[in-house]
Amino acid sequence: MFALILGFSTRLMAQQATPIRMLFEPRENTFSLTGAGGGNLYSLFNAAGSASGILGLDANFNLGDKIEEAKEKFQTIAATFKVNLFNSTLVRAVDSMDARRIVFQDNDFRINIGVRYNFIQQKNKKIFKPVTSAFLDMVIVPYQVEGATQGKGFTTLSFNAGGKFGFLAKWGIGVFGITVNPQLDMLFVLESENSFSFEEIMQTGTLPNLNMPKMAKGYIGIGTKIEIPLTDFGLFFDFRKYFKVGAADAAPGLVDRLQFTFGGMALGSIFKNMKNAKPKKKKDKKKKK
């Protein structure tokens, strides 16, 4: 409920982030089963809105660590797989879909697969850790269009890649941090040749027909996201600008302005320690002769 109250957003996360405790303690937390919930602007003001219930698996693989200049440095690979089977992506042809819902998809996604390469430093008894990451996500969202006169729906496929630069810290309130995440986004609309579901939902009042011009189905975006991850909650601010690919006209509202959203998400994770601490060897006492 806390996330639902604070999640006044068209998106929950620009990237599905690795749980902060897994990132902060990569050797102790190597696997997690994650549940997340939240709401967005549509669920409050639009009948076509959605709230999300996400289930995910995160795995963290340590590539090694070393000590340089009194700092311990880690390199890890984190993989994430998330499904969102409890939301509804059914939209009505008589309503127009806000282009931000196409851009910011994490309230609607069905499948999210991601990989992160993390470089982490720690000093001063693990209180403060600079973090640098590279990420790649694939996001799949199937939309059903109720009442469409030509076609039954469409699917969006997105690839998001970029970097994360910031820090993590642990004080009395728990683990928290701040990161800035520049990224490149590629968005594709997958629709059958004779379907006009995408055109109809983006242009309310226009009756589709076989002579109706098709909209552009490929877009490239650049943007930056600011994240404030906490132990079991995260805040974010996301900015993006999209450009169409090809000669067809762009979907209304998608490329003609800067896309912006902000919000939050509550997380709950169960961690399993995959590496057991090695028992200390007992020193043999030499017998005095």
Side-chain angles (χ1 to χ4, degrees), residues 87-224:
N87 66 330
S88 173
T89 54
L90 178 66
V91 294
R92 297 184 300 176
V94 295
D95 298 327
S96 76
M97 180 184 285
D98 192 316
R100 289 175 298 174
R101 187 170 179 180
I102 300 293
V103 172
F104 302 119
Q105 299 172 328
D106 280 55
N107 282 332
D108 291 331
F109 82 87
R110 188 60 49 83
I111 297 174
N112 182 299
I113 301 173
V115 178
R116 285 101 175 86
Y117 170 79
N118 303 309
F119 180 74
I120 307 165
Q121 301 181 56
Q122 68 179 29
K123 191 179 179 181
N124 298 331
K125 298 181 180 180
K126 304 180 182 180
I127 293 176
F128 181 86
K129 297 184 181 183
V131 175
T132 303
S133 299
F135 66 86
L136 174 64
D137 285 327
M138 181 181 73
V139 186
I140 300 173
V141 187
Y143 289 100
Q144 292 179 289
V145 181
E146 184 182 54
T149 56
Q150 191 76 27
K152 296 182 179 180
F154 58 92
T155 297
T156 61
L157 174 65
S158 297
F159 295 94
N160 306 322
K164 180 190 296 287
F165 307 93
F167 72 89
L168 302 176
K170 187 175 183 180
W171 286 351
I173 61 174
V175 182
F176 72 98
I178 297 177
T179 63
V180 177
N181 315 316
Q183 66 184 54
L184 174 68
D185 307 302
M186 291 180 287
L187 171 66
F188 302 97
V189 179
L190 308 180
E191 188 178 33
S192 64
E193 183 178 355
N194 295 325
S195 174
F196 289 87
S197 298
F198 181 65
E199 284 75 10
E200 187 167 5
I201 199 65
M202 299 303 294
Q203 294 188 110
T204 299
T206 302
L207 295 177
N209 55 71
L210 296 180
N211 296 321
M212 180 181 180
K214 286 279 192 175
M215 291 182 184
K217 297 300 192 296
Y219 301 87
I220 295 177
I222 55 174
T224 299

Side-chain angles (χ1 to χ4, degrees), residues 276-284:
N276 296 322
K278 295 181 179 179
K280 294 182 179 180
K281 294 181 179 180
K282 294 183 179 179
K283 294 182 179 179
D284 295 331

Side-chain angles (χ1 to χ4, degrees), residues 268-279:
S269 299
I270 301 173
F271 286 93
K272 294 182 179 179
N273 189 350
M274 302 295 287
K275 293 185 178 180
N276 296 322
K278 295 181 179 179

Side-chain angles (χ1 to χ4, degrees), residues 1-9 39 233 235 262-264:
M1 289 301 294
F2 188 49
L4 188 60
I5 295 172
L6 291 183
F8 296 106
S9 168
F233 189 75
L235 301 173
F262 67 95

